[in-house]
Amino acid sequence: MLNDSRSHGLWEKTAPAPAPTPALSGDAQADVVIVGGGFTGLSAALHLAQRGTSVIVLEAREPGYGGAGRNVGLINAGMWVMPDDLPGVLGDLHGERLLDLLGNGPRLVMELIDKHGIACELERQGTLHCAVGDEGLREIEARCEQWAKRGAPVSLLSAEETARRIGASAYRGALLDMRAGTLQPLAYVRGLAKAALAAGARLCGDSPVTSTERTGSRWKVSTAQGSVTADWIIVATDAYSTGPWEQVRYEQIHLPYFNLATAPLSADLLKEILPNREGCWDTKEILSSFRMDQAGRMVFGSVGALRNGGQTVHKNWARRALAKLFPQLGEVEFESEWYGQIGMTDNALPRFHRFADNVVGFSGYNGRGIAPGTVFGKVLSQLILGDMTEQDLPLPVTDPRAPSLRPIKEAWYEAGAQVAHFAEHRL
């Protein structure tokens, strides 16, 4: 997008064309104005419009421009925090609610895809959390036990079964989660946008918000060329927030993440490497992820930014890592490359904010944007429609707060990933 091949890479090359989203012009009225056209904003717009609520979405660039259109495309259940630890962080009430809601998050994603006929390369074969060494094995054993006692369809795979499913023998085992899957994220966002439009929502691209003001009991949200006056504002800008709600970005630490896509693999290789099309990631601190797209390209990613020397370092590391993991690939060349920013909160959990009366939003998805974003969009629609109150939400109301040393930590994560990949490449 915007003439930058490293912003959305393979996903922009292979996604269906976007729906028209002309910029806001003139003064408009709506029941709800949604700021941000990613998973949360478009899910909220779709669910509200289906109930007859008038909705206008204001997106600074185009739907999927932010984190939604740049990620790996793993439809994961839950969050990074261990299931048994969540009640200790959020309290029993909110902890168990969040576990239930996000544990079932992939189901909602897949139901919406089916209902609205969204062409987004959906794979329903689960994900594999791959154990690196003894420590990694202990981690996935604990995670499996904690989800299993809550009735989740998870299982612990042996090293042998993991190698059979992946086509590589590098792991001590894997946690198979059959709730999960993969999709083409930008195609999914664009599909949500088309479904929201069909339901009656209005979507305006190239419409960054410049200001807001209270007008009686309503809110006026202004852009460079127009305004929307509405009863409610949903803030759905998350880690890419700028303008009136930039505090949402400042309460998150940006963790860069890149992806590289190979050319489509041969039919013989596809029988051997991820033949069931599970999405994978490992337990290393500087983790790696890999999956197949519909055409048989391997999408391989890790922490790091493809800039300031990182492009060369990370690509060289990726070639070496893939050669070690999948020697049957031979010499690897990459067809596409892209990177984005993951918004990390200080407790690795999302937040719910009431910025003012009738101004609400969820944020802080910590690299788990697809299912939580879709679910939280629906939850916001239920809150506005009166189907639930704030007391029923899966998270408590909190004020945005900036983590300590945010700029230093962000610089360290980017530089640290580059140093680690350079060192590993040199070994």
Side-chain angles (χ1 to χ4, degrees):
M1 295 183 187
L2 301 181
N3 299 316
D4 183 356
S5 63
R6 283 181 291 163
S7 66
H8 298 77
L10 175 67
W11 303 145
E12 187 167 21
K13 292 180 180 179
T14 60
T21 54
L24 179 70
S25 179
D27 300 319
Q29 303 283 325
D31 297 323
V32 183
V33 57
I34 298 173
V35 184
F39 301 128
T40 305
L42 294 173
S43 174
L46 172 59
H47 285 98
L48 286 166
Q50 287 177 323
R51 295 279 294 274
T53 303
S54 62
V55 181
I56 297 178
V57 178
L58 302 178
E59 164 56 43
R61 302 292 178 87
E62 67 173 85
Y65 176 80
R70 303 172 192 241
N71 64 35
V72 181
L74 302 179
I75 319 168
N76 281 316
M79 299 298 292
W80 287 107
V81 177
M82 284 286 191
D84 284 0
D85 293 340
L86 262 176
V89 178
L90 296 175
D92 288 341
L93 181 64
H94 288 109
E96 292 300 333
R97 280 181 186 170
L98 190 65
L99 281 169
D100 181 66
L101 193 69
L102 298 188
N104 292 310
R107 180 189 305 168
L108 175 63
V109 172
M110 295 178 191
E111 287 174 351
L112 290 176
I113 291 169
D114 291 340
K115 179 179 180 179
H116 298 285
I118 298 174
C120 60
E121 304 186 16
L122 175 64
E123 297 284 354
R124 308 171 193 261
Q125 304 305 313
T127 55
L128 295 170
H129 194 181
C130 304
V132 177
D134 292 340
E135 184 177 352
L137 183 60
R138 288 191 292 270
E139 177 187 338
I140 66 167
E141 286 174 340
R143 197 176 290 275
C144 184
E145 179 183 358
Q146 292 174 27
W147 274 121
K149 73 181 181 182
R150 290 176 165 82
V154 296
S155 56
L156 193 66
L157 306 184
S158 67
E160 293 74 20
E161 175 64 9
T162 300
R164 187 188 70 79
R165 285 175 176 264
I166 292 177
S169 56
Y171 303 110
R172 291 290 309 279
L175 171 60
L176 172 63
D177 189 340
M178 289 306 298
R179 297 170 295 182
T182 67
L183 51 68
Q184 210 275 33
L186 184 58
Y188 175 55
V189 174
R190 289 179 174 177
L192 284 178
K194 292 175 182 178
L197 286 168
R202 179 180 173 188
L203 275 57
C204 301
D206 297 316
S207 300
V209 172
T210 56
S211 65
T212 64
E213 62 177 308
R214 194 73 158 157
T215 59
S217 62
R218 310 189 81 204
W219 289 97
K220 183 177 181 180
V221 179
S222 297
T223 69
Q225 301 179 54
S227 69
V228 180
T229 300
D231 299 317
W232 285 84
I233 302 173
I234 290 177
V235 180
T237 47
D238 201 31
Y240 284 75
S241 293
T242 59
W245 297 284
E246 63 183 0
Q247 67 264 46
V248 174
R249 184 269 180 266
Y250 292 140
E251 75 167 346
Q252 302 181 53
I253 295 171
H254 273 180
L255 181 73
Y257 201 90
F258 69 88
N259 285 291
L260 304 165
T262 69
L265 305 186
S266 69
D268 287 341
L269 285 173
L270 291 174
K271 292 177 183 177
E272 181 179 351
I273 300 175
L274 293 176
N276 297 322
R277 301 296 180 97
E278 301 97 338
C280 304
W281 77 104
D282 64 33
T283 58
K284 294 174 70 174
E285 184 174 0
I286 301 178
L287 65 84
S288 302
S289 60
F290 51 96
R291 52 159 298 193
M292 294 293 184
D293 81 338
Q294 194 170 64
R297 302 177 183 89
M298 176 172 284
V299 179
F300 187 70
S302 185
V303 179
L306 302 179
R307 62 184 178 192
N308 300 332
Q311 184 177 16
T312 299
V313 169
H314 296 313
K315 288 175 72 174
N316 285 339
W317 165 83
R319 289 190 183 96
R320 184 177 178 87
L322 280 175
K324 185 176 181 180
L325 190 60
F326 300 108
Q328 60 270 51
L329 287 176
E331 187 174 346
V332 173
E333 292 299 328
F334 299 114
E335 188 176 272
S336 301
E337 59 188 61
W338 68 104
Y339 73 101
Q341 305 290 346
I342 297 172
M344 306 293 292
T345 58
D346 54 12
N347 64 356
L349 289 173
R351 308 278 168 78
F352 171 75
H353 297 313
R354 187 196 324 114
F355 300 93
D357 289 343
N358 288 13
V359 184
V360 293
F362 285 96
S363 59
Y365 298 154
N366 295 273
R368 295 284 180 103
I370 296 173
T374 303
V375 167
F376 287 144
K378 182 178 180 180
V379 168
L380 289 168
S381 75
Q382 293 171 320
L383 177 66
I384 289 172
L385 292 167
D387 295 342
M388 63 169 58
T389 67
E390 285 187 1
Q391 287 67 44
D392 303 317
L393 293 176
L395 289 167
V397 179
T398 56
D399 294 326
R401 62 180 187 274
S404 61
L405 304 176
R406 179 186 57 77
I408 295 174
K409 290 177 180 177
E410 290 183 346
W412 169 250
Y413 289 147
E414 181 167 343
Q418 190 168 323
V419 169
H421 283 163
F422 180 78
E424 188 174 337
H425 171 63
R426 299 287 291 180
L427 292 177

